[in-house]
Amino acid sequence: MIKHVEKESEQFFYIGNERLSCILKIAFGKAQLLHLGAPLGEDDFAALGCETLFGWGTDVLYKEGDSRSCLDALPLAWSERGSGDYRESPIELLYEGEDICPDFVYSSFAVPEHEEPDAVLPHARGEQETLRLVFTSKNRLLEGLTLELRFSLFETALVRQAVLMNGSDKPLRVTKLMSACADLHGRFTVSTFDGGWIRETHRHTVPAAQARVVNESANGFSSNRHNPGFLLSETGATDDAGTVYGFNLLWSGNHRSTVQRSAQGFTRVLQGISPEGLCLELLPGGRLETPEAVAAWSDRGLNGLMENMHRFVNRAVIPPAWQSRERPVLYNSWEGCMFKFSEGKLLSLAKKAKKLGCELFVLDDGWFGARDSDTAGLGDYSVNRRKLPNGLDGLSKKLRALGMQFGLWFEPEAVNPDSECYRRHPDWVLTPPGTDAFQGRNELLLDLTKSEVRDYIVENVSAILDRADVRYVKWDMNRHSPVSGNKAYAYILGLYEVLHRIFDARPQILLEACASGGNRFDLGMLCFAPQIWGSDDTDPIERLDIQDGLFCLYPQSAVGAHISAAPHSMTLRATPLSTRANAAFFGAFGVEFDLDGMKPVEAAELKETIDWYKQHRKTFQFGRFSRNRAEEGAVCWQVSSGEETLCALFHRLVPAGPEIEWLSVNGLEPDRLYRVEARPQLLRVAPFGNLLKHITPIELDAEGMVVRLADRHYTMRDGGFSAECSGAALRSGIPLAKRFSGTISNGF
Ligand code: DGJ
């Protein structure tokens, strides 16, 4: 509910539901944030109204003589430099070339029933229960300049946005306009999700202190360097207990969030577009909307926060046609074929993939123009008839006849200089002002701020999608941007327009975004694409960190995760198929290696694995995710829905002679009896080579024909068991069956 109370010169607003509430106060014409978090009572504002008297020493008062008006000491929901608040300001404006004091004074509020979304920016999709409150403030110096602060309370998250409207007759320049400003009380640590190509979203935690923590991307995109999402955890919070806030932004370009503790003990959080190099012109009559900023809260630790954040993303961000819709098991041609394939090879892979249980065949890079390597062809859409003599529609028909859907890769935002597109339109390339464009992965980006470029992409991609009955698109983008500031901002708006024009009319297509893996893993892209390729790194041990980071902010169904070959091509690490599968289960699952070289044991195991996965896919993709207690260095992920709970316990290294291992399971009913099934891991024969020769009557060559032959056909089951026990026993921990650990295994 929303409640508004006026008391003398002050106003209070309560906006809350059963899980979350926010209390705001207007005093001196400024919006204060008295509370964000626990679902308080609608009248609790009375106790929270901060009447602290400050204004001593060097402090500055907003209202002369009124020591309650020291804005620097108050928990604000918005702030402006020049009004006595010396913490970081969310807004900076230039008027007639001068830095003007952006002093906005509250004038009215509204409780709109519906959203009126901007046509291009992605928006969280509200439902009837979504509560909306809008404050309007007027600038003190420039008549006609208006600021709206929008608060929308979803079931488990507060979404905020700032909108600036220039009703004056003079143009204005905006050098900074953040989406949200919030002063929170408590002592926190800040966790950011950082990395780079093939090591995205590793969690790093530092204290929120008086020195500012800045989480910012500057490569033109939300970036693999610093994901826009971050956490604030109250000191002592754990996976299961304590207060944790999660923040994110519906924006795919340069972003910036800052966290800073003030002298009075409030922690200021700013979220928005990075102001770096930004100077946007706001003409008379113009309006500037920021991207939406999200804040979720839980007092049940990180697991509670993840539940709330996942629920918000699943219900308000993921395109409606794909919310709670199970994603097909896909086979992707990239890691198995790269650029080298023929129709025959693809069909041979598709037949095998179908037999294994895959439902969608995705043709990745290399199907168009002169694209035999990453040096040529990008930007062209003519099908390579040497590789695909029957065209994409021919291939698509044959796949359908096999019972598989057809998916296709595109990288529409880029061109190779060696392409027909570039030769015809060298002026379409995105170029930093005053210099030539420079290349990344032999490519240049197209200038999506130009309408003719957007039309070219929309027309070409749409025509192919319709002609070849494409049911899945992987939308890739493989380099950092050459531009910054206004141009980088306008580029993202151009991208959103293109995505709207292609995909709004084709909801049957499952879109997976990708940017060399996670260079654009954000809520803006998730408004169009229900899933995003998590990382080019498919090594399951690397994925433990990458996916663990992603799950702090995004639900499992949003994270593309595939089984690839071992040893892994990036780490040269050999992992069992079961480990690769166990990591990929917790995402939008697929298979991505050359099936033609598979041994019979591998094919049998993979088929059994995919069959098993399909029986549990709904829980893996949409179940409640949590991190479970696990010994040092191990990772335990759990998903639960209805009657089913699935846990995976991973080790980064196999120790010799390990201690007995215990599994403890979250969230069960203590008095209920549960059936426990541990999936056995299959051990291959070949790695035992040297051990085998000691126990067989004849001396065996560890790499010889006999061992190789046995390895093709036999596996040993290890570690499986079943049991029955109470929820209470499972919570406290049950011992797991011993696995192979430097001695002959159980089943051997
Ligand atoms: C980068 C992507 O992340 C890969 O999965 C693959 O699609 C390649 N691009 C193709 O060039």
Side-chain angles (χ1 to χ4, degrees):
M1 73 169 293
I2 295 185
K3 183 166 177 177
H4 171 226
V5 174
E6 209 159 343
K7 259 173 88 187
E8 292 155 24
S9 60
E10 295 174 343
Q11 310 199 36
F12 294 87
F13 295 85
Y14 167 88
I15 170 166
N17 60 30
E18 282 161 14
R19 295 164 185 254
L20 186 65
S21 71
C22 172
I23 298 179
L24 297 147
K25 169 180 174 180
I26 304 285
F28 318 108
K30 304 290 177 190
Q32 295 179 29
L33 180 67
L34 299 189
H35 169 78
L36 173 61
L40 303 186
E42 68 212 54
D43 295 321
D44 280 337
F45 63 84
L48 295 166
C50 203
E51 285 297 308
T52 332
L53 302 181
F54 268 91
W56 55 51
T58 46
D59 282 349
V60 169
L61 298 178
Y62 184 64
K63 252 193 156 181
E64 181 112 23
D66 189 342
S67 55
R68 294 168 312 151
S69 73
C70 176
L71 300 185
D72 207 34
L74 294 172
L76 298 177
W78 191 258
S79 168
E80 298 109 8
R81 186 175 300 146
S83 52
D85 179 11
Y86 292 92
R87 294 165 290 181
E88 187 180 344
S89 160
I91 182 168
E92 284 170 19
L93 304 175
L94 291 178
Y95 180 62
E96 294 184 335
E98 296 289 322
D99 199 355
I100 60 160
C101 169
D103 187 359
F104 286 90
V105 179
Y106 170 87
S107 72
S108 62
F109 77 94
V111 181
E113 276 185 15
H114 307 287
E115 54 193 334
E116 291 149 32
D118 173 283
V120 171
L121 271 181
H123 279 261
R125 297 172 183 89
E127 291 170 346
Q128 256 188 338
E129 312 79 77
T130 308
L131 302 171
R132 297 174 196 285
L133 175 66
V134 180
F135 290 162
T136 301
S137 305
K138 305 269 178 213
N139 190 264
R140 270 225 297 189
L141 305 180
L142 193 59
E143 209 188 315
L145 183 61
T146 307
L147 176 71
E148 271 182 15
L149 300 182
R150 301 181 155 255
F151 303 83
S152 304
L153 193 82
F154 287 70
E155 211 183 346
T156 55
L158 179 73
V159 172
R160 294 189 52 183
Q161 194 187 23
V163 183
L164 194 62
M165 287 161 285
N166 186 2
S168 80
D169 55 0
K170 296 269 170 37
L172 191 78
R173 285 182 189 274
V174 182
T175 52
K176 184 178 186 184
L177 183 64
M178 304 302 271
S179 304
C181 165
D183 292 335
L184 303 170
H185 69 92
R187 282 206 177 267
F188 300 102
T189 57
V190 190
S191 298
T192 54
F193 298 88
D194 321 285
W197 179 62
I198 66 173
R199 49 174 300 114
E200 298 91 339
T201 52
H202 285 232
R203 179 158 38 134
H204 298 113
T205 300
V206 294
Q210 284 186 302
R212 194 181 299 163
V213 177
V214 180
N215 183 48
E216 183 166 30
S217 83
N219 71 351
F221 305 112
S222 49
S223 94
N224 49 23
R225 308 284 168 96
H226 307 286
N227 194 276
F230 62 100
L231 309 174
L232 284 196
S233 309
E234 212 162 27
T235 314
T238 63
D239 282 351
D240 291 314
T243 293
V244 183
Y245 288 92
F247 298 91
N248 214 334
L249 198 64
L250 279 80
W251 179 244
S252 309
N254 288 336
H255 63 83
R256 183 180 194 190
S257 309
T258 59
V259 177
Q260 187 169 28
R261 194 174 159 81
S262 74
Q264 283 76 28
F266 290 112
T267 297
R268 170 154 297 179
V269 178
L270 295 182
Q271 301 165 264
I273 290 179
S274 167
E276 184 77 35
L278 205 67
C279 190
L280 298 171
E281 186 161 54
L282 194 58
L283 294 172
R287 168 190 173 92
L288 182 60
E289 281 199 18
T290 65
E292 291 181 336
V294 180
W297 167 92
S298 171
D299 59 359
R300 291 178 294 116
L302 177 57
N303 286 333
L305 186 271
M306 286 192 286
E307 184 183 344
N308 289 341
M309 200 53 130
H310 290 193
R311 183 187 281 258
F312 168 76
V313 177
N314 273 327
R315 296 187 180 190
V317 176
I318 299 294
W322 291 96
Q323 287 174 8
S324 359
R325 177 152 157 206
E326 289 179 40
R327 310 295 158 73
V329 173
L330 68 80
Y331 176 82
N332 179 297
S333 67
W334 176 244
E335 289 196 22
C337 303
M338 300 230 159
F339 298 100
K340 220 158 128 194
F341 54 82
S342 61
E343 188 189 84
K345 171 75 181 174
L346 297 178
L347 289 172
S348 147
L349 289 170
K351 276 182 203 145
K352 292 196 170 85
K354 171 73 190 168
K355 267 201 193 149
L356 293 171
C358 297
E359 298 152 323
L360 164 75
F361 185 89
V362 180
L363 173 54
D364 208 282
D365 199 350
W367 55 266
F368 50 87
R371 189 81 172 156
D372 289 326
S373 73
D374 62 13
T375 58
L378 216 50
D380 298 339
Y381 290 87
S382 53
V383 176
N384 183 323
R385 292 273 164 183
R386 187 173 40 79
K387 294 180 189 173
L388 299 170
N390 300 302
L392 291 171
D393 37 346
L395 176 66
S396 171
K397 264 188 211 129
K398 288 181 188 167
L399 289 169
R400 272 202 307 284
L402 285 177
M404 286 194 109
Q405 294 181 346
F406 177 45
L408 193 58
W409 177 97
F410 293 88
E411 192 180 343
E413 298 163 63
V415 277
N416 288 121
D418 183 4
S419 67
E420 287 308 312
C421 174
Y422 181 80
R423 281 185 278 277
R424 258 188 267 133
H425 306 287
D427 55 319
W428 279 8
V429 156
L430 188 66
T431 325
T435 67
D436 289 338
F438 47 85
Q439 298 181 25
R441 205 199 183 200
N442 311 303
E443 55 190 64
L444 301 165
L445 285 181
L446 287 171
D447 187 348
L448 266 60
T449 69
K450 294 190 159 126
S451 63
E452 61 273 32
V453 172
R454 297 198 295 272
D455 292 347
Y456 173 80
I457 296 173
V458 172
E459 280 155 23
N460 279 291
V461 174
S462 304
I464 289 173
L465 296 182
D466 295 340
R467 203 176 321 127
D469 192 15
V470 176
R471 292 306 172 100
Y472 159 104
V473 166
K474 180 171 170 188
W475 185 286
D476 204 353
M477 193 285 301
N478 284 301
R479 51 160 296 168
H480 301 312
S481 175
V483 295
S484 55
N486 293 1
K487 194 74 176 176
Y489 167 81
Y491 179 97
I492 298 296
L493 297 184
L495 170 65
Y496 289 151
E497 186 204 295
V498 166
L499 293 172
H500 272 302
R501 286 170 63 190
I502 298 176
F503 294 103
D504 283 0
R506 296 177 180 81
Q508 77 280 9
I509 295 179
L510 171 59
L511 177 61
E512 177 156 352
C514 172
S516 290
N519 201 17
R520 211 163 47 191
F521 204 120
D522 58 71
L523 295 180
M525 292 308 285
L526 281 178
C527 284
F528 301 92
Q531 57 195 58
I532 301 179
W533 183 223
S535 175
D536 277 355
D537 195 339
T538 47
D539 177 312
I541 303 302
E542 295 291 310
R543 280 281 182 143
L544 294 182
D545 287 319
I546 296 169
Q547 292 180 197
D548 202 70
L550 284 170
F551 296 150
C552 289
L553 305 162
Y554 307 97
Q556 311 87 272
S557 61
V559 179
H562 298 172
I563 297 183
S564 64
H568 193 264
S569 55
M570 280 158 185
T571 57
L572 307 184
R573 180 169 19 222
T575 49
L577 184 61
S578 49
T579 306
R580 286 175 270 151
N582 288 336
F585 285 161
F586 289 82
F589 174 88
V591 175
E592 184 164 350
F593 65 94
D594 190 351
L595 303 177
D596 282 340
M598 242 189 333
K599 299 195 169 80
V601 280
E602 291 172 317
E605 186 179 352
L606 191 50
K607 176 165 176 17
E608 193 272 318
T609 299
I610 294 175
D611 284 350
W612 184 87
Y613 171 72
K614 284 181 179 166
Q615 291 163 36
H616 305 282
R617 149 165 63 182
K618 199 158 188 121
T619 304
F620 274 123
Q621 294 186 356
F622 300 103
R624 184 162 34 86
F625 178 88
S626 60
R627 301 177 84 244
N628 251 346
R629 217 181 328 142
E631 65 191 57
E632 184 76 26
V635 173
C636 187
W637 290 336
Q638 177 181 317
V639 281
S640 323
S641 75
E643 297 288 284
E644 179 170 71
T645 289
L646 302 156
C647 293
L649 180 59
F650 300 90
H651 292 274
R652 291 164 211 271
L653 284 174
V654 178
E659 296 173 354
I660 294 172
E661 252 189 305
W662 298 76
L663 177 75
S664 91
V665 183
N666 285 331
L668 302 178
E669 290 174 42
D671 299 333
R672 238 180 121 176
L673 198 62
Y674 290 87
R675 194 160 55 81
V676 183
E677 292 285 345
R679 278 193 85 218
Q681 186 162 313
L682 299 188
L683 296 178
R684 296 278 296 274
V685 174
F688 286 90
N690 278 311
L691 209 53
L692 286 175
K693 72 180 181 194
H694 300 303
I695 57 163
T696 48
I698 49 157
E699 176 96 348
L700 278 180
D701 174 356
E703 289 170 16
M705 212 180 67
V706 176
V707 174
R708 278 192 277 126
L709 194 66
D711 186 52
R712 285 179 68 81
H713 297 284
Y714 298 106
T715 48
M716 294 162 285
R717 296 170 86 77
D718 189 33
F721 73 93
S722 39
E724 274 199 352
C725 65
S726 69
L730 279 160
R731 175 69 185 141
S732 102
I734 58 163
L736 296 177
K738 200 127 182 77
R739 294 161 298 126
F740 172 77
S741 51
T743 62
I744 302 297
S745 92
N746 301 331
F748 191 43

